[in-house]
Amino acid sequence: MIILIATFQAIHGKSYELEAAFRGMMGPTTAEQGALEYRLHRSLERNDTFFFYEKYADKAAMDLHLASSHFAVLMEKVQPMLAGAPQVDTLEFLEGIPERG
């Protein structure tokens, strides 16, 4: 299982427009084979900072997402709204508590 955490910071005044663009990824990503979780978060301390928590069955599934046309379109659309390059961390899941309601 592969976990990807991506951090994005909006430029001043673009936070809600960036959020809307990110929300548009939920539908297409849900249909991807091997995409197990895809969650968008906003920082409570920094209203202009967003985090994606993504879980994939394996590296091939993650690579499929990153190579998808909807991901390419998103990145092109959001680039002018970003304060800098996103920070991306790819993690190997080791152990944890399953999600509880």
Side-chain angles (χ1 to χ4, degrees):
M1 190 173 325
I2 300 292
I3 306 297
L4 186 145
I5 299 173
T7 305
F8 296 84
Q9 184 176 354
I11 60 174
H12 182 70
K14 292 292 186 178
S15 179
Y16 292 103
E17 189 177 343
L18 185 60
E19 178 184 345
F22 286 155
R23 286 178 180 268
M25 283 293 287
M26 296 302 144
T29 304
T30 299
E32 292 176 9
Q33 183 72 24
L36 305 176
E37 288 186 49
Y38 194 73
R39 298 172 182 244
L40 174 62
H41 306 271
R42 180 194 296 271
S43 173
L44 292 174
E45 292 77 27
R46 297 175 316 275
N47 193 43
D48 61 351
T49 303
F50 297 87
F51 302 88
F52 273 101
Y53 174 87
E54 306 173 22
K55 185 189 300 183
Y56 298 95
D58 52 28
K59 186 176 180 313
M62 181 185 71
D63 291 344
L64 181 69
H65 170 71
L66 297 175
S68 69
S69 61
H70 53 273
F71 180 77
V73 168
L74 172 76
M75 294 311 295
E76 185 176 324
K77 181 177 183 176
V78 303
Q79 192 63 40
M81 300 179 226
L82 298 177
Q87 178 184 335
V88 178
D89 293 297
T90 308
L91 311 168
E92 176 186 10
F93 178 77
L94 299 177
E95 186 174 356
I97 299 170
E99 182 177 347
R100 301 175 193 168

